[in-house]
Amino acid sequence: RYARGLPPYTTYSEVYHDAFFYAGDPLYPERIYYSRLYEPEAVNTTPISVYGRTEYPWLTTTDGQAVTGIKRQGDELVVGTLRGIDVIQGYSRGDYTIRRASNHFGVLSHFSMCRCGPLSSLFFAAPQGPTIYNAGAFKYIGGPIDTWWRDQYKANPDVFANSYGGEDRYWRAYKLLLPNHPTYNTLYLVTDYYEAEKGEPNWVMDRRDRIDRVLGELLIDGSTNYFDLYTGSCDGEVRQENSETDPDDDSDTYRKKMTLTTPHRFVKGQDGDDSHGRSYVELDLYTKHTSNDMTISMWGGDDDAPSAVSPAWTRTSTATAAAAG
């Protein structure tokens, strides 16, 4: 009953209420093992008999599906599977309970789960798209990239299963790294977490020609290290992001170029066919970009062809700052 054995081989771990929780056992992917308090190496993996009944010293996902992610959020330990999300609560062995929190949202990647933002929401990659969880409530924040995410996930599920999330406090953003993308090599999806928590997310796509794998943050230890963000890449290099003194801290072909993708805009009252639909006759755009030229493209179409192979038009706007010298 008080066995202090070693934890089995697992791929995920998380600290919750002074105990370690382990998940991702290849032999029993639906299990979540827990340790003794303050002893992460002490885990019981042997069922025991107590007063004629058998007790199992682990928890199991409520849908029996494999654990795809595990992360503490507030007073709860969030456990994700592809088809739903469970929540564990409790303070010690014999006290832990697991219950279903959602049959709609799931978790694609343990490493996409990241607590960030002023409300300390839990951001993660779900099959439907980026999602946040806070205080028992879920909020979908993938609206502007909804159809893009759906199509890309269907075509490249392994890329999303290996996604890695991190907090960029320098720009106050949640960054989701998609490594080994067949088209982009490495693609970052970035959103302002203030707007995302309000349900009005804006998304930026940043591509790299190398293969990045992980993100890590150096917590503040003085004015010279203000939550510095670092990236680990498959070329063996670790790079600091957001260096204002380095015009190319990305160190790749695309330098610091970014792609801004706006939401789809639909005309009010459109009836959806060629005879009764409505058309845009003009479109006003305002941008402010002081240091660099900007290229703007627009794709148009109806509900049967939401985007074309090539843009309807493309314009290049020079930097708005006045030339000096």
Side-chain angles (χ1 to χ4, degrees):
R1 184 174 186 178
Y2 302 103
R4 304 172 71 184
L6 295 175
Y9 173 83
T10 57
T11 50
Y12 317 132
S13 66
E14 180 73 354
V15 179
Y16 173 70
H17 287 172
D18 302 318
F20 260 71
F21 283 72
Y22 301 92
D25 182 347
L27 299 179
Y28 304 101
E30 74 284 356
R31 291 183 183 178
I32 306 102
Y33 303 95
Y34 45 83
S35 75
R36 291 169 61 93
L37 297 181
Y38 312 109
E39 297 183 47
E41 75 283 0
V43 177
N44 186 10
T45 60
T46 304
I48 58 176
S49 296
V50 180
Y51 303 118
R53 71 177 188 277
T54 300
E55 293 184 356
Y56 298 92
W58 58 74
L59 298 167
T60 303
T61 56
T62 58
D63 61 2
Q65 296 293 309
V67 176
T68 52
I70 181 169
K71 194 74 173 180
R72 178 181 62 83
Q73 203 283 328
D75 192 49
E76 301 173 327
L77 184 63
V78 179
V79 179
T81 70
L82 281 179
R83 297 184 179 180
I85 291 179
D86 295 333
V87 168
I88 294 174
Q89 288 185 292
Y91 289 88
S92 63
R93 286 184 177 183
D95 182 43
Y96 299 124
T97 60
I98 186 169
R99 61 177 175 82
R100 196 66 162 173
S102 173
N103 287 313
H104 178 72
F105 294 105
V107 175
L108 289 177
S109 166
H110 164 80
F111 300 103
S112 73
M113 305 174 80
C114 177
R115 293 187 306 274
C116 59
L119 301 179
S120 295
S121 300
L122 180 62
F123 287 66
F124 61 93
Q128 296 89 343
T131 305
I132 60 178
Y133 174 76
N134 198 331
F138 294 88
K139 182 180 294 184
Y140 174 68
I141 58 169
I145 56 173
D146 190 358
T147 54
W148 180 92
W149 182 286
R150 179 196 63 200
D151 296 340
Q152 288 289 315
Y153 174 53
K154 290 177 66 176
N156 309 289
D158 292 342
V159 171
F160 289 81
N162 291 316
S163 60
Y164 204 106
E167 179 180 11
D168 187 345
R169 302 194 198 194
Y170 190 88
W171 293 111
R172 297 171 178 83
Y174 169 71
K175 300 183 70 171
L176 184 65
L177 160 61
L178 300 176
N180 284 321
H181 193 284
T183 302
Y184 307 109
N185 284 341
T186 294
L187 184 66
Y188 286 87
L189 304 180
V190 187
T191 184
D192 178 339
Y193 49 54
Y194 283 93
E195 298 303 313
E197 287 184 329
K198 292 190 299 183
E200 301 174 356
N202 295 302
W203 288 94
V204 174
M205 294 185 181
D206 183 15
R207 58 187 294 192
R208 312 274 172 92
D209 64 353
R210 61 172 186 266
I211 299 177
D212 292 345
R213 295 297 305 190
V214 297
L215 294 170
E217 184 183 37
L218 177 65
L219 296 180
I220 186 169
D221 59 4
S223 60
T224 58
N225 298 109
Y226 187 73
F227 301 112
D228 291 341
L229 187 67
Y230 294 86
T231 300
S233 307
C234 287
D235 59 3
E237 298 288 340
V238 176
R239 297 175 173 87
Q240 180 180 345
E241 301 276 319
N242 307 325
S243 175
E244 295 290 1
T245 59
D246 183 355
D248 188 22
D249 56 20
D250 291 345
S251 297
D252 73 342
T253 303
Y254 306 115
R255 297 173 67 83
K256 286 188 174 180
K257 293 181 180 178
M258 293 189 299
T259 299
L260 304 177
T261 303
T262 64
H264 292 164
R265 305 295 184 186
F266 295 101
V267 182
K268 289 185 177 180
Q270 67 174 1
D271 298 317
D273 62 55
D274 295 337
S275 300
H276 301 91
R278 301 190 183 191
S279 302
Y280 282 110
V281 294
E282 66 179 53
L283 178 66
D284 294 327
L285 297 176
Y286 171 79
T287 62
K288 183 178 181 180
H289 46 106
T290 59
S291 302
N292 297 281
D293 296 344
M294 177 181 288
T295 299
I296 303 172
S297 299
M298 187 192 75
W299 285 259
D302 58 23
D303 52 353
D304 292 326
S307 62
V309 176
S310 58
W313 55 259
T314 297
R315 303 284 174 83
T316 296
S317 176
T318 57
T320 56

